[in-house]
Amino acid sequence: MRTVMFLCTILILIILFIILYSIFKKGMPALSWEMISQVPKGGYYLGKEGGILNAIIGSLYLALGSTVLALVVSLPVALYLNTRLVRYGRLTEFVRFLMDLMWGVPSIVYGAFAFTIMIALGIRASLLAGIITVALFIIPIMLRSMDEILKTTPRGLLEASISLGSTYSEVSYRVYLKQCLPGIVTAVLLSFGRAIGDAAAILFTTGYTDHIPTSLSQPSATLPLSIFFQLSSPIPEVQNRAYASAVVLMVIILIISIVSRILANRFIKHQIKH
Amino acid sequence: MRASRRIRSGFHFTWMMIALILILILPFALAVGLSYKSGLLFQEGGGLGMLFSSDWRPQAGHFGFMPFIVSSLWVTLIAILLAGPVCILSAINLTYYAHRHVSKVMQIVIDILAGIPSVVYGVWGILVLVPLVSHTLGPLFGHEGSGYSLLTGGLVLAVMIVPFILNILLELFRTVPPDLIDASLSVGATKWQTIKRVVLKKTMPGILSSISLGISRAFGETIAVLMVVGNVIKIPKSIFDPAYPLPALIANNYGEMLSIPRYDSALMFAAMILFVIILIFNILARRIIRGSEKYI
């Protein structure tokens, strides 16, 4: 039995290596400086010159915008759930329950829902629509992961601060936020990773163009969709570029994962030990 | 208290309330929006029979969801059958047998796997799993095919939900009180007996609910499955047949649905089915945990 268990563990490790190896092996040869520094030129999707800079920048805009939007909504709620609202047990449990359910809702449902609303209101696919859709989809993720961290803060910290005369907003933003900064940074970066990698929610809401968007009302290309579209092309060169784009996306995700580890370790020194 | 502090505090509180109300409204808006839009599908007859019909001809106004529902169920089932045992066994191994360093490394591995975007899983599926199923697994069981099949979709999904389930399980096993294990060991049980009779018994509700959450995750996964599952509207007869799960249906057709009447409502109904099934599994998962907390 121990051997089987060991093999299962090793299997997971091997699968990760196979994934990384196959993506990098197939994508690296097609990856060039030109690909990540230029926008598609005429005939790019027939195998001619150009790159996927539009998709890289578009994805970064989209992920950054939606992460900021989600942060603005979920940070206050997560903080107050653990400070001001902590005495309303029913309400906090209800919010947590709803957010858990919303976390489970697949991004395609958010995408379809947002698209229907956009049609009803007559809004075209745009960067802003994509940002809002993705924000809706990462709010539960961000809120619940922050909340889980904040929950671990000792209650005494809240009581001590309040009894010294600070307001709830001061306790929230000066004490709790600082105390839980490593976890919150990790939560934000996790959501950023989700936002940049998701394809289903932006399939209809963000559109696709060949140039870098200059305003929020323009449609925008994104990396996952650029991979998806290039891969469905019958031309081998274009398919190879899809693999190269997958490498770019993978590298971004790996960077996020490394940065979040480093930041989490760095901010840990501000914590009050207990 | 100085006025500026009061104002600032008031501002933060107001903003938080606005955000909280937004967050509380969102799920209901989603539910209402989905049911309103998909309700339009039922206005001109049809009824729930559509769930069990396999006649999918949008131009003629026939929307039979059976092939999609069956495909979704099969893909999910394959994924959970493959991922479930692997996750449980590795979680036991990592919690009770493996060296501290191994557990640490595996935690990083799990985090990376969890962070890989679904489209990359899809690319990997096309690169590795499709040829594997087409050239190796298929012929082994006497099935020739392109490799774009239920099994391929299930395999990709299995890999995708492994980090998700495994994370919950690791957390779960950490909460088992060490006293229980010590007590069992001290009356002469072996380590494996202790795990089987004490740890697994105690965490069974948690394991079931983690599986249930895994199912709901697998059910809604879109892009990766869509890329490898073949997308043929037919009730699959074997796991080597291509299939067409619900999320793929929505993703593939949403762009062009506007020209055909009631098509958009049909796709929203598909989203509604997804939404409801996932809600059921999520609530189920919570119920199992709640129910077990009472008597342990």
Side-chain angles (χ1 to χ4, degrees), chain B residues 32-244:
Chain B
V32 169
L34 285 178
S35 34
Y36 169 72
K37 194 77 182 149
S38 50
L40 298 177
L41 180 62
F42 293 98
Q43 267 179 3
E44 298 162 42
L48 282 174
M50 276 187 268
L51 281 177
F52 305 103
S53 151
S54 48
D55 183 14
W56 182 264
R57 280 176 299 147
Q59 282 88 351
H62 292 291
F63 300 101
F65 287 97
M66 201 61 187
F68 307 105
I69 296 174
V70 171
S71 301
S72 268
L73 290 177
W74 270 114
V75 166
T76 309
L77 186 71
I78 295 171
I80 219 73
L81 284 182
L82 291 170
V86 171
C87 286
I88 294 171
L89 290 174
S90 334
I92 294 173
N93 183 29
L94 289 176
T95 318
Y96 297 106
Y97 291 102
H99 192 271
R100 205 158 38 86
H101 294 303
V102 178
S103 303
K104 229 174 188 175
V105 170
M106 283 310 287
Q107 189 60 53
I108 298 176
V109 167
I110 296 167
D111 286 349
I112 295 177
L113 273 178
I116 297 179
S118 83
V119 70
V120 174
Y121 277 110
V123 171
W124 172 68
I126 291 177
L127 274 178
V128 176
L129 293 178
V130 168
L132 181 76
V133 171
S134 169
H135 300 315
T136 316
L137 291 177
L140 205 64
F141 295 95
H143 281 273
E144 297 294 332
S146 61
Y148 292 89
S149 63
L150 263 183
L151 180 64
T152 325
L155 279 168
V156 170
L157 260 187
V159 175
M160 292 183 73
I161 58 175
V162 157
F164 182 70
I165 300 180
L166 195 50
N167 255 333
I168 304 176
L169 286 180
L170 287 174
E171 196 107 318
L172 179 72
F173 284 140
R174 255 178 244 139
T175 62
V176 177
D179 298 1
L180 274 180
I181 296 163
D182 293 343
S184 167
L185 289 175
S186 65
V187 292
T190 63
K191 195 160 182 183
W192 176 241
Q193 282 171 331
T194 305
I195 287 169
K196 212 164 53 176
R197 302 269 164 77
V198 178
V199 176
L200 284 185
K201 198 166 184 185
K202 179 147 173 65
T203 53
M204 200 33 97
I207 294 175
L208 286 179
S209 81
S210 78
I211 299 280
S212 176
L213 288 174
I215 291 175
S216 82
R217 178 53 49 102
F219 211 81
E221 184 44 53
T222 312
I223 296 291
V225 181
L226 160 91
M227 287 164 84
V228 297
V229 86
N231 302 329
V232 174
I233 308 176
K234 221 181 87 193
I235 294 180
K237 298 245 161 17
S238 85
I239 55 170
F240 295 100
D241 282 350
Y244 209 150

Side-chain angles (χ1 to χ4, degrees), chain A residues 148-183:
Chain A
E148 283 301 315
I149 307 288
L150 289 164
K151 251 195 208 168
T152 62
T153 315
R155 190 67 175 275
L157 218 51
L158 172 67
E159 285 155 5
S161 314
I162 294 296
S163 61
L164 286 172
S166 64
T167 62
Y168 277 105
S169 71
E170 285 164 349
V171 181
S172 301
Y173 288 97
R174 302 235 173 107
V175 181
Y176 269 60
L177 181 60
K178 219 169 205 175
Q179 173 76 3
C180 298
L181 204 53

Side-chain angles (χ1 to χ4, degrees), chain A residues 167-236:
Chain A
T167 62
Y168 277 105
S169 71
E170 285 164 349
V171 181
S172 301
Y173 288 97
R174 302 235 173 107
V175 181
Y176 269 60
L177 181 60
K178 219 169 205 175
Q179 173 76 3
C180 298
L181 204 53
I184 285 174
V185 169
T186 315
V188 171
L189 284 169
L190 174 85
S191 316
F192 186 83
R194 273 296 157 77
I196 208 166
D198 186 72
I202 53 175
L203 197 51
F204 324 113
T205 51
T206 319
Y208 201 87
T209 56
D210 277 354
H211 43 258
I212 298 166
T214 47
S215 87
L216 284 172
S217 58
Q218 289 178 359
S220 165
T222 44
L223 266 177
L225 290 188
S226 116
I227 297 170
F228 186 63
F229 290 146
Q230 292 180 84
L231 203 59
S232 43
S233 153
I235 304 162

